[in-house]
Amino acid sequence: MTSNLLTESPIIQFTILLTVIFSVPPIFERLRIPGLVGLLVAGVVVGQNGLKLLDTNSETVSLLSDIGKIYLMFVAGLEIDLGQFRKTKNRSIGFGFLTFVVPLIAGIFVGRLFGFGWNASVLIGSLLASHTLLAYPIVSRLGVVMNEAVTVTVGATIFTDTAALLVLAICVGIHGGEFSIISLITLLGGLAIYSAIVLFGFDWLGKEFFRRSGDEQSNQFLFILLALFLASVGAQVVGVEKIVGAFLAGLAVNDVVGRSPVKEKIEFIGSVLFIPCFFVDMGLLINIPAFIKTLSSIWLTVVIVAALIGSKFIAALLTKLIYRYNNAEMLTMWSLSLPQVAATLAASLVAYQTLNPAGERLITEGVLNSVIVLMLVTSIMGPLITSRFAALLQTPQNDFEAESLSTWWENSDSQPSEQTQDSFTVVVPIYNSKTQRYLIEMAALIAQHESGRILPLAITKAHIHMDDPELGISLEESHKKLKLAQEISQEFNVQVSTAVRIDDDIALAISRTSREQNASLVVMGWSRTTGLRARLFGNVIDSVFWSSHCPVAVTRLVNSPKTITRIIVPIGDLRPQTVSAWRFAEMLADVNKAEVVLLHVSNSKTPANLVEQFTNQLSEIVAKSQLQVNTNIQIIVDDDVAKAIVREAQAFDLAVLRSVRYRTTGGLAVSQVTTQVISELSGSIVLLGEAHL
């Protein structure tokens, strides 16, 4: 009776799923094993081969797993950088073709070698042909994302994933029976029309809806979800698998959501709920006796893994010979294209669940188990190789030479802002009387350096009725804070203008006021909104970073900014955003007569000539500065970047960091150096966020 209750009650099954998703991944990550592996193992434990708490055939698990499967492919399309693809379109297509066709041929050969039919063999080949950019955060952290080998590999993902899903659609159709040349042409024609409608229609509709809906993030979020499920249903209508529609929907709305808070929410919901449900269900499908049997007759698994690794290497080697890349670039391309997670797992599950009229599966249980092993091997092997060889890549010279070295607050197109130096404006949102002194001092020092003004801003939460007594009390408190801000500002002899704003959204009030005042900089205090609430609803800092037209400096100050004499700026790469952090520190150092140290933490495996080249390039940028600031460059070797920065920063009064986020397909977050530094460093910090481009 109890057993039936567990397997039949949707609420109990959902509760078990949530418990697994909440508790298992952190345990495995502490053991330095990917959390996804933990979900697969948990699926085995709670499934029919273990505790029998969950059943893959139950409506609850089946629904959540289906949503997770299409969500995974949707996010895979959403996270492809179309901007980078456009920069190297021809070479991306070239590498994409090679890294698709070579593994496809290898997979077909493996299938025929082990006695599979032509249709199943082609499907096995397509499973090897796609790739997941699991190691992209590593190249981002190393500052080599602009290297052509990296951008070409990122762009190739569009080709490989799209082609693999197209092959899947054809193979599933053939396996269903009654398939002819006419039906194939009909399928391809319908797919072409459907793809055009999704890619162009959804893109246009999305841009129109976002333009008209303004700041209504809830409606925008629902629109994106509706687009996802409409595309999935449409794919089934034209006779192809729904994950094809989900991937196309991700590509379609890619430009629409950009890097907006809505994208953050979409990825968050997927990464914490639906996608983990899919991986748990994959674990439920693993039949332990059959899995052990597969591994005991290990040749199928070994040959599939070897075919994938070898064919991806051959594709990268051919690309190197055609486009004259060096060995480091070739090996980076190979390692980035190795991991098989998103498209491979989703497609393999679809193929395993596809039955022909005789009840035969498109791929066997042995192939499915081999694909799971393939995922485990490549998801570990790929990032390890990437971290080894991506460190040897060179950043293109024009990345920083083309960047204007005049005032750091200029617009992204290197054209001066509309304001003159006399109207340089620093907006300072005030909401905590205890910390506002240091905040005002920081803003005043920057404004003093630029002969500008500061604008303390007090925001009062709106009420339905403007004559509400609580609103009147809040306004009175705001005026008190502004009066104190004026008194502090007078110590610095800078012009002060105050502003009170009534608004429902604090972040938008800050962004709108700074735009109305044509501000050059926003200086904010640290937000205490963290954890689950911040991930679900976002916090003020995230929203201001997204919506602001100018740079935003978020400060956590333990001492008065007037006492700052030594400033450290970690420099990981020479992209404009990183150089901007140094420029901010330079301005503060100039007014305080302080010293600035640019710290670069080099990987122990990075060749000495590349470190020397980086140092020379950084020295050239420093030499072009118009300010007479005591700036020194410090290069240290350490494989743990965050700990090295924290260790060195202890001797400084202030650390200036830049805001960077890294994500992988499926919203699987990778630890960020900046986040670790902020959590471990006890001194004063400024986190500089660039205007959204």
Side-chain angles (χ1 to χ4, degrees):
M1 182 73 178
T2 305
S3 176
N4 290 338
L5 181 65
L6 288 174
T7 56
E8 293 177 6
S9 170
I11 297 298
I12 293 178
Q13 292 218 327
F14 186 62
T15 303
I16 294 171
L17 274 172
L18 287 182
T19 303
V20 168
I21 294 168
F22 174 76
S23 59
V24 171
I27 295 173
F28 275 72
E29 286 165 5
R30 283 184 177 274
L31 300 173
R32 299 187 179 277
I33 301 174
L36 295 182
V37 177
L39 293 174
L40 288 171
V41 173
V44 174
V45 172
V46 301
Q48 295 304 300
N49 293 289
L51 301 176
K52 301 184 186 300
L53 298 178
L54 293 177
D55 184 0
T56 187
N57 295 317
S58 73
E59 292 184 5
T60 304
V61 175
S62 179
L63 173 63
L64 292 173
S65 176
D66 269 356
I67 294 175
K69 183 170 58 182
I70 65 174
Y71 218 107
L72 183 66
M73 292 311 303
F74 174 68
V75 175
L78 194 65
E79 291 191 340
I80 291 176
D81 195 326
L82 295 179
Q84 289 192 18
F85 173 73
R86 295 184 186 108
K87 291 177 183 177
T88 55
K89 181 172 61 177
N90 293 333
R91 293 194 172 193
S92 290
I93 293 174
F95 176 59
F97 177 79
L98 288 172
T99 200
F100 173 81
V101 170
V102 177
L104 177 68
I105 295 172
I108 293 173
F109 177 77
V110 170
R112 298 298 294 166
L113 180 66
F114 284 88
F116 292 98
W118 279 104
N119 192 39
S121 298
V122 171
L123 192 279
I124 292 172
S126 73
L127 295 178
L128 307 185
S130 63
H131 62 261
T132 304
L133 293 171
L134 206 62
Y136 184 77
I138 295 174
V139 294
S140 294
R141 174 172 52 81
L142 293 172
V144 293
V145 290
M146 299 309 294
N147 183 281
E148 186 178 290
V150 176
T151 59
V152 164
T153 308
V154 173
T157 309
I158 297 179
F159 185 94
T160 58
D161 285 6
T162 304
L165 292 175
L166 177 61
V167 172
L168 171 70
I170 295 173
C171 290
V172 168
I174 292 175
H175 190 70
E178 300 181 1
F179 204 80
S180 63
I181 297 297
I182 296 177
S183 62
L184 174 62
I185 294 174
T186 303
L187 174 65
L188 291 177
L191 183 60
I193 297 172
Y194 160 78
S195 300
I197 293 173
V198 171
L199 290 174
F200 298 105
F202 281 28
D203 180 61
W204 177 80
L205 280 174
K207 288 176 180 176
E208 283 294 309
F209 182 81
F210 270 54
R211 182 177 63 83
R212 295 175 184 274
S213 61
D215 303 316
E216 297 175 6
Q217 292 184 23
S218 57
N219 285 339
Q220 292 171 353
F221 177 79
L222 290 174
F223 174 86
I224 297 300
L225 282 186
L226 180 61
L228 163 61
F229 288 100
L230 279 177
S232 301
V233 172
Q236 292 179 293
V237 170
V238 299
V240 297
E241 177 53 39
K242 50 184 172 288
I243 62 173
V244 178
F247 180 73
L248 291 175
L251 289 178
V253 301
N254 195 307
D255 278 336
V256 177
V257 298
R259 292 179 292 157
S260 69
V262 175
K263 182 180 179 182
E264 292 278 329
K265 293 175 175 60
I266 292 168
E267 291 178 333
F268 173 67
I269 292 295
S271 64
V272 301
L273 180 59
F274 295 124
I275 294 173
C277 286
F278 166 70
F279 281 96
V280 172
D281 188 38
M282 288 289 291
L284 295 176
L285 288 171
I286 298 176
N287 185 313
I288 294 298
F291 192 78
I292 294 174
K293 185 178 178 182
T294 299
L295 296 182
S296 62
S297 56
I298 201 168
W299 287 113
L300 175 63
T301 303
V302 169
V303 173
I304 284 179
V305 173
L308 181 278
I309 295 172
S311 60
K312 290 291 185 181
F313 181 82
I314 292 171
L317 179 62
L318 292 174
T319 306
K320 172 199 170 183
L321 297 175
I322 295 171
Y323 298 124
R324 301 182 183 279
Y325 293 131
N326 59 38
N327 286 333
E329 290 171 328
M330 178 201 71
L331 292 170
T332 300
M333 296 175 77
W334 172 52
S335 62
L336 284 173
S337 61
L338 268 182
Q340 305 290 303
V341 181
T344 306
L345 284 182
S348 60
L349 182 59
V350 168
Y352 178 72
Q353 294 174 335
T354 299
L355 303 175
N356 65 8
E360 298 172 338
R361 299 185 185 276
L362 178 49
I363 60 172
T364 64
E365 197 169 30
V367 175
L368 178 66
N369 292 336
S370 297
V371 168
I372 292 174
V373 174
L374 178 71
M375 184 272 289
L376 297 177
V377 172
T378 57
S379 63
I380 295 172
M381 181 179 174
L384 286 176
I385 299 174
T386 299
S387 62
R388 169 67 179 86
F389 292 103
L392 308 181
L393 298 180
Q394 298 182 18
T395 304
Q397 189 82 359
N398 59 0
D399 244 19
F400 54 89
E401 283 188 348
E403 175 70 7
S404 171
L405 290 174
S406 53
T407 48
W408 67 278
W409 59 86
E410 285 186 346
N411 295 328
S412 59
D413 57 2
S414 296
Q415 296 298 320
S417 301
E418 297 171 7
Q419 67 251 6
T420 64
Q421 284 191 340
D422 291 335
S423 62
F424 184 94
T425 302
V426 182
V427 171
V428 193
I430 296 171
Y431 44 86
N432 188 341
S433 301
K434 296 179 181 179
T435 60
Q436 79 175 75
R437 167 167 281 277
Y438 290 169
L439 201 61
I440 293 294
E441 286 182 1
M442 173 68 78
L445 286 172
I446 298 295
Q448 185 183 61
H449 182 272
E450 297 301 313
S451 302
R453 66 174 181 134
I454 67 171
L455 191 141
L457 170 66
I459 301 167
T460 300
K461 199 72 174 175
H463 288 64
I464 297 176
H465 302 291
M466 288 296 103
D467 60 351
D468 192 312
E470 289 187 10
L471 179 60
I473 294 172
S474 298
L475 286 172
E476 187 177 341
E477 289 295 321
S478 294
H479 285 294
K480 288 180 181 178
K481 293 175 185 176
L482 293 178
K483 185 178 180 182
L484 176 59
Q486 281 184 308
E487 294 172 359
I488 298 171
S489 304
Q490 289 173 359
E491 301 173 14
F492 295 85
N493 195 28
V494 294
Q495 181 184 347
V496 184
S497 303
T498 61
V500 176
R501 188 170 190 123
I502 301 174
D503 208 309
D504 291 311
D505 191 306
I506 294 176
L508 289 178
I510 295 170
S511 301
R512 289 165 176 167
T513 303
S514 63
R515 187 65 190 127
E516 291 165 359
Q517 298 293 328
N518 202 20
S520 308
L521 175 69
V522 176
V523 175
M524 297 175 59
W526 209 262
S527 171
R528 295 185 178 275
T529 308
T530 57
L532 181 64
R533 181 171 176 267
R535 293 291 301 278
L536 274 172
F537 304 109
N539 58 28
V540 175
I541 294 174
D542 288 339
S543 298
V544 174
F545 273 172
W546 158 250
S547 59
S548 179
H549 78 288
C550 64
V552 180
V554 181
T555 65
R556 189 183 72 192
L557 302 170
V558 297
N559 292 306
S560 170
K562 295 185 293 184
T563 64
I564 292 173
T565 58
R566 300 193 73 210
I567 305 173
I568 188 170
V569 185
I571 300 288
D573 54 65
L574 295 176
R575 284 182 286 176
Q577 297 90 336
T578 308
V579 177
S580 292
W582 162 62
R583 291 174 184 163
F584 177 88
E586 189 184 37
M587 286 175 25
L588 185 60
D590 190 41
V591 74
N592 266 4
K593 305 303 178 188
E595 174 196 11
V596 175
V597 172
L598 305 181
L599 174 68
H600 177 66
V601 182
S602 174
N603 189 289
S604 60
K605 296 176 183 177
T606 305
N609 65 313
L610 289 184
V611 176
E612 183 180 358
Q613 181 189 37
F614 181 90
T615 305
N616 292 336
Q617 293 169 347
L618 185 56
S619 299
E620 290 176 15
I621 295 177
V622 172
K624 293 178 182 179
S625 173
Q626 299 175 359
L627 301 178
Q628 300 301 314
V629 173
N630 181 17
T631 302
N632 297 306
I633 298 173
Q634 181 181 353
I635 308 293
I636 63 174
V637 178
D638 199 310
D639 292 332
D640 193 325
V641 178
K643 286 188 177 179
I645 293 173
V646 172
R647 183 179 65 247
E648 297 297 323
Q650 300 297 338
F652 290 81
D653 303 314
L654 177 69
V656 179
L657 311 169
R658 71 182 181 96
S659 174
V660 184
R661 293 181 181 179
Y662 305 117
R663 286 187 178 273
T664 61
T665 298
L668 309 173
V670 175
S671 60
Q672 308 165 25
V673 171
T674 302
T675 302
Q676 188 176 343
V677 171
I678 290 171
S679 63
E680 296 183 11
L681 194 60
S682 58
S684 296
I685 294 174
V686 169
L687 182 65
L688 188 69
E690 288 294 299
H692 174 72
L693 303 177

